[in-house]
Amino acid sequence: MRLAALSQLVRQSLVRERRGAFFSAFGVAMGVGALVFFLGLGLGVGRVIRERVFPADARLVDVVPPAVSLGSFLGGGKLDTVMVERLQALPEVETLYRKMNVRAPAASRYDGDFFGRKLRMGVDVLAVGVDPGLVEGDVRMNKFVDPGPGQPLPGLISTRLLEIYNNTFAPARKLPRLAPEMLVGFTFPVDFNRSYVSAPLPGAPVISSQVQVVGASDRALLAGVTIPLDAAIRLNREMGQDTETYSGVTLVASSPGAVPGLVEAVKEMGLEIDDQERRLAENVGAAVALTTSALALLSILICVLAAVNIAHALSASVRARAKEIGVMQAVGASRSDVRNIVLAEAGVVGLAGGLLGTLAAIVLALVVDRLASSYLPQFPFKPESFFSFPWPVVVGGVVLGLLAAVAGAWFPSHRAAATDPARTLAG
């Protein structure tokens, strides 16, 4: 049977059975629309977690000394210059960046103008020094090096800390929201070896300094300030603290695939991997994926019910059109022609349902985003859109509708093809 003749027969059948075709397409649209909507929501929330809440480079491995170290007795555990050289020599390591905490408490007491508002506040801060190469792409002012005693220390703040400030602290204290560019050049006082909550180091001097913000970085310390490594070494030396061992090292693997082998090699050297944030991101992502999977399963069940409904409707249609089918077979239609007609009818219904369901899901997502933007209060990491619809999800929704309908029509089509024209026409 030619395509034009098949199309005409299918169109006539659907027009005659338009009520049943409408409800069948509606069932498919409900299942496909729910599936596409929930998949888009899960992918969108997952994207926010990966890119904003827990941003991570797949090639980075954070190495820290073990919590309990037996030193050279068991072959390592001390993160000193010798160990750093051993790490650098690993074949999977492309480069590495050292980190050293300022080994004394620090406090900042600010009293003055804060972007047009009066601010008076004291708070403890943490400080960590890092190799400039780790954050060089985020420095927006001057060079990220130790300027020497008496000069403001260049510092980076965490982009996530800024997000939390803008959406929680600033509204509560009626302070202005800040963009990273606004903070560049801002200076605040920091006293090292002074604290509001803990005891200072005995016998160590108090070092008063200034920190000048030179940028914001995803790799900066979340609950403190990130300064150049040589500045941290100098401060520790002036306070009589350890300057020979490092608080951590960030390794850059040659490729993401080399990370597992690199992790094993690091552990064999008696060191540990600081993957707390990675594990937290994986746990949150797993929770989102589990919820999305449960909702997707519910949506697939709706599609299955739609396929069963199509099977029931087409079975009734085949029984009602038995004589019509018998006449077609009597004038030369083959069994495959009859089967193709029924499958084509279901395919049109499924394709229409899949397309409408997918479009409805995307439109509903736009409405939800608009309502969230207008009525939900600001909160940390609030995205512009909670949804993500990559093309495989969109195309997959339409194809799923088609497959569900064709699957439902499979047995009715074979039943129609098995019709005996002689017995049918004889009544």
Side-chain angles (χ1 to χ4, degrees), residues 144-369:
F144 198 67
V145 295
D146 182 20
Q151 299 297 319
L153 298 172
L156 289 168
I157 61 170
S158 170
T159 52
R160 291 178 291 170
L161 178 63
L162 185 59
E163 178 78 16
I164 295 171
Y165 162 83
N166 281 333
N167 293 288
T168 56
F169 188 79
R173 298 290 298 269
K174 297 182 179 180
L175 294 172
R177 288 186 170 91
L178 305 175
E181 298 77 13
M182 296 172 61
L183 281 170
V184 174
F186 176 72
T187 302
F188 59 93
V190 175
D191 291 336
F192 295 97
N193 201 29
R194 178 171 291 169
S195 172
Y196 295 107
V197 296
S198 62
L201 297 175
V206 174
I207 300 176
S208 298
S209 183
Q210 299 279 326
V211 174
Q212 185 176 53
V213 179
V214 296
S217 175
D218 291 337
R219 298 175 181 175
L221 185 64
L222 176 60
V225 61
T226 300
I227 62 177
L229 177 63
D230 50 0
I233 293 175
R234 175 176 61 82
L235 290 170
N236 284 331
R237 183 183 302 112
E238 292 177 359
M239 291 183 290
Q241 301 303 303
D242 177 21
T243 60
E244 301 299 325
T245 59
Y246 300 98
S247 306
V249 171
T250 297
L251 306 179
V252 182
S254 56
S255 67
V259 169
L262 181 58
V263 169
E264 291 301 320
V266 169
K267 290 181 178 179
E268 290 177 359
M269 297 168 66
L271 301 172
E272 293 183 355
I273 304 299
D274 184 10
D275 58 351
Q276 181 178 356
E277 283 203 1
R278 192 185 302 272
R279 285 188 282 109
L280 185 58
E282 291 175 352
N283 292 338
V284 175
V288 173
L290 181 62
T291 305
T292 303
S293 299
L295 296 174
L297 179 60
L298 177 62
S299 305
I300 292 175
L301 291 177
I302 297 175
C303 291
V304 172
L305 292 177
V308 172
N309 177 64
I310 290 174
H312 177 74
L314 287 178
S315 296
S317 177
V318 167
R319 289 193 299 269
R321 295 157 55 192
K323 289 188 177 180
E324 177 185 333
I325 294 173
V327 171
M328 286 192 295
Q329 291 177 320
V331 297
S334 65
R335 291 190 174 188
S336 62
D337 290 335
V338 175
R339 184 167 54 248
N340 290 338
I341 290 173
V342 178
L343 290 175
E345 292 176 12
V348 172
V349 170
L351 192 63
L355 182 60
L356 291 175
T358 301
L359 291 176
I362 295 174
V363 171
L364 180 59
L366 294 175
V367 173
V368 170
D369 282 335

